[in-house]
Amino acid sequence: MNEKHAVIAANRFGLGAKPGDLKTAQENPGQWLLEQLTIPRFSSDHPDSGEVLEAFYAYRKDVKRFKQQKMMEKPDNIAGRLFVHMAADTVSGAVNDDHTLNWRLLDFFSNHFSVSGQGGMMKPLAPTLEREAIAPNLLGPFENMLLAVEQHPAMLVYLDNDKSAGPSTGVARNSRGLNENLAREILELHTLGVNGGYNLEDIQELAKAISGWSITRPKEEQHGFVFRPAAHESGSRVVLGKVYRNTGSNQGEAILKDLAVHPATARYLSFKLARHFVSDSPPEALVKAMTDTWRQTRGHLKAVITTMIEHPDAWQSDPVKLKSPREFYISALRLTGLPVPNARLMVNTLVNLGQAPFGAGSPAGYGDVASTWDGPDALLKRVDWVNTITRQVQMNQPPVQLARAHSGALLSAHTAKMVSRAESRQQGLALYLMSPEFLRR
């Protein structure tokens, strides 16, 4: 049994077995996973969101001067360069790390709190959200992550809350009004879920409570989140039947803390986690156990993940989850041992495979079920990429050995036979990378 569970631990909960992983995990697969519940480490060479904002404001100033003075040399736009390197840094971490459960968790919550790096300031800001607000709070109370995300410049800019002003404020009378985008997505996507029992008035009340949550302007010294009292709608707010006194920025924070531990949030997030890790239609008993832990621990994420790992329904043998393009790409690099490509090539490959980093184009993020990724065009793109990379792999061993290093006891006799009888080792590897055992987890 441990041999099968080692395969599930490495491929379903992690981002794919490297040669040798199954042997290590086999001794105690569950404990092997629990030891991977650590904070992912990024390269420290990249700027934080405050430095990104500062650089963007400086670039915008240079562009203005460039146009006014008709300068010959166009200012260097660092946005695209920073975006590519930070997006690739996360992928490199997942490929190279011995532990990948933590990187899969990071991917899950980065998609849950989806922001798109498309255009202007959002290009370099988007990758900083997962580095600064999600990763440090990956294993603690959900309320910490929720607060950090909703007050992060990337989320405030993406959903236009940085320009939101209470309807009775002087700021609103002069130019701007109340923007409900962030409040709506907090309730619909980030906490309660679309059927979470809130209504239009709750959205409007939450939007008023977080009016004034903004980011600093170019001339201000410290760049990042700022609360602007002049744009905040004063007065008490009522959300889901509870009254919140006017306490400035703390009013919105108090609402978010309650949302993080609401029963609907516990159920919604537990279902999404189980669907991501285990099955497009996760067992009800598993979801209930995770929901119960969420409520008992007030949303302590490490405890909820531990409940999932320790639940027997999470270990069904059949691999039923179709890997997303990103999972497919990372797991293939981990198994083949190919050198991690340069940042630009890495990002371009993910774009070609259909899952551009920070490119969902919607606050709902990328889909997390098979129907999102199983179209014929998507599979053909995987075939093309596999045919390209298998020509680069130094095959010092029969491909069936790599197949066993990844699928172990779950490698079917049919796939093993096909891989063994291929005309070349490269062709055998390509057949395995497009087999059901590798495409699913």
Side-chain angles (χ1 to χ4, degrees), residues 320-400:
V320 293
K321 286 290 295 186
L322 181 66
K323 291 178 181 175
S324 69
R326 184 184 178 92
E327 294 166 348
F328 176 75
Y329 177 74
I330 291 172
S331 58
L333 290 182
R334 288 178 60 81
L335 179 64
T336 60
L338 276 172
V340 174
N342 66 60
R344 175 65 67 182
L345 178 58
M346 188 184 295
V347 170
N348 286 347
T349 302
L350 288 170
V351 171
N352 290 336
L353 288 172
Q355 195 175 11
F358 308 101
S362 158
Y366 284 109
D368 202 11
V369 294
S371 58
T372 308
W373 308 114
D374 64 358
D377 183 59
L379 292 177
L380 277 175
K381 287 177 178 175
R382 296 191 191 200
V383 171
D384 289 342
W385 181 72
V386 161
N387 284 332
T388 299
I389 67 154
T390 49
R391 289 196 290 268
Q392 303 165 15
V393 179
Q394 294 293 322
M395 292 297 295
N396 299 319
Q397 57 186 324
V400 74

Side-chain angles (χ1 to χ4, degrees), residues 127-364:
T128 64
L129 180 71
E130 68 177 12
R131 301 168 74 90
E132 298 171 4
I134 297 175
N137 298 299
L138 203 56
L139 303 172
F142 180 65
E143 71 174 45
N144 292 353
M145 184 188 292
L146 184 64
L147 281 172
V149 166
E150 311 303 358
Q151 292 184 337
H152 192 276
M155 187 61 77
L156 292 168
V157 172
Y158 180 54
L159 292 175
D160 302 316
N161 204 79
D162 59 320
K163 298 180 181 66
S164 181
S168 66
T169 64
V171 177
R173 284 193 291 273
N174 290 334
S175 56
R176 297 172 286 173
L178 186 68
N179 191 300
E180 299 174 1
N181 289 347
L182 180 56
R184 181 181 301 104
E185 305 309 359
I186 287 173
L187 294 170
E188 179 179 330
L189 298 175
H190 300 168
T191 59
L192 305 178
V194 68
N195 298 315
Y198 62 92
N199 56 33
L200 180 59
E201 289 183 355
D202 292 318
I203 295 174
Q204 294 169 339
E205 285 289 275
L206 177 56
K208 291 174 183 173
I210 60 174
S211 57
W213 287 18
S214 187
I215 63 170
T216 47
R217 300 185 182 106
K219 292 182 180 177
E220 293 171 302
E221 288 188 3
Q222 297 293 325
H223 294 300
F225 170 79
V226 66
F227 175 66
R228 300 193 184 284
H232 179 68
E233 181 73 6
S234 63
S236 298
R237 308 265 73 89
V238 180
V239 176
L240 299 173
K242 181 174 177 178
V243 178
Y244 296 86
R245 293 185 299 108
N246 183 18
T247 53
S249 180
N250 291 340
Q251 185 180 50
E253 293 177 9
I255 298 172
L256 292 190
K257 287 178 181 177
D258 283 345
L259 288 173
V261 298
H262 193 282
T265 301
R267 167 76 190 182
Y268 178 58
L269 265 294
S270 295
F271 176 84
K272 280 194 71 173
L273 281 162
R275 186 181 64 184
H276 174 77
F277 278 90
V278 178
S279 166
D280 290 357
S281 301
E284 177 56 32
L286 173 63
V287 176
K288 182 180 183 308
M290 294 169 67
T291 304
D292 290 345
T293 299
W294 190 295
R295 298 185 67 175
Q296 290 160 8
T297 63
R298 297 181 63 78
H300 198 285
L301 295 174
K302 186 173 183 178
V304 174
I305 299 303
T306 299
T307 295
M308 178 178 67
I309 291 171
E310 293 177 343
H311 200 285
D313 286 355
W315 295 85
Q316 53 185 309
S317 293
D318 295 335
V320 293
K321 286 290 295 186
L322 181 66
K323 291 178 181 175
S324 69
R326 184 184 178 92
E327 294 166 348
F328 176 75
Y329 177 74
I330 291 172
S331 58
L333 290 182
R334 288 178 60 81
L335 179 64
T336 60
L338 276 172
V340 174
N342 66 60
R344 175 65 67 182
L345 178 58
M346 188 184 295
V347 170
N348 286 347
T349 302
L350 288 170
V351 171
N352 290 336
L353 288 172
Q355 195 175 11
F358 308 101
S362 158

Side-chain angles (χ1 to χ4, degrees), residues 16-183:
K18 283 182 175 179
D21 276 356
L22 300 188
K23 187 176 179 181
T24 306
Q26 195 169 323
E27 187 174 338
N28 189 336
Q31 185 59 35
W32 184 68
L33 284 175
L34 293 176
E35 290 171 358
Q36 297 184 25
L37 291 174
T38 57
I39 302 300
R41 292 187 177 183
F42 298 98
S43 164
S44 58
D45 296 336
H46 301 295
D48 60 29
S49 55
E51 293 167 324
V52 165
L53 285 172
E54 187 176 356
F56 181 79
Y57 292 145
Y59 167 71
R60 202 164 56 181
K61 193 175 176 182
D62 288 343
V63 169
K64 187 176 180 183
R65 192 167 62 234
F66 168 77
K67 291 179 179 176
Q68 289 174 339
Q69 300 178 2
K70 297 181 179 178
M71 299 164 64
M72 295 297 290
E73 189 173 348
K74 200 171 181 180
D76 177 29
N77 185 356
I78 66 166
R81 186 156 30 91
L82 286 176
F83 173 82
V84 165
H85 284 278
M86 283 193 278
D89 187 38
T90 307
V91 179
S92 296
V95 172
N96 294 322
D97 204 328
D98 289 337
H99 296 169
T100 54
L101 171 58
N102 48 358
W103 289 100
R104 179 180 286 287
L105 264 178
L106 177 69
D107 280 353
F108 169 83
F109 279 109
S110 188
N111 193 51
H112 178 73
F113 292 111
S114 173
V115 292
S116 292
Q118 295 168 346
M121 191 186 297
M122 278 309 299
K123 192 84 174 177
L125 262 184
T128 64
L129 180 71
E130 68 177 12
R131 301 168 74 90
E132 298 171 4
I134 297 175
N137 298 299
L138 203 56
L139 303 172
F142 180 65
E143 71 174 45
N144 292 353
M145 184 188 292
L146 184 64
L147 281 172
V149 166
E150 311 303 358
Q151 292 184 337
H152 192 276
M155 187 61 77
L156 292 168
V157 172
Y158 180 54
L159 292 175
D160 302 316
N161 204 79
D162 59 320
K163 298 180 181 66
S164 181
S168 66
T169 64
V171 177
R173 284 193 291 273
N174 290 334
S175 56
R176 297 172 286 173
L178 186 68
N179 191 300
E180 299 174 1
N181 289 347
L182 180 56

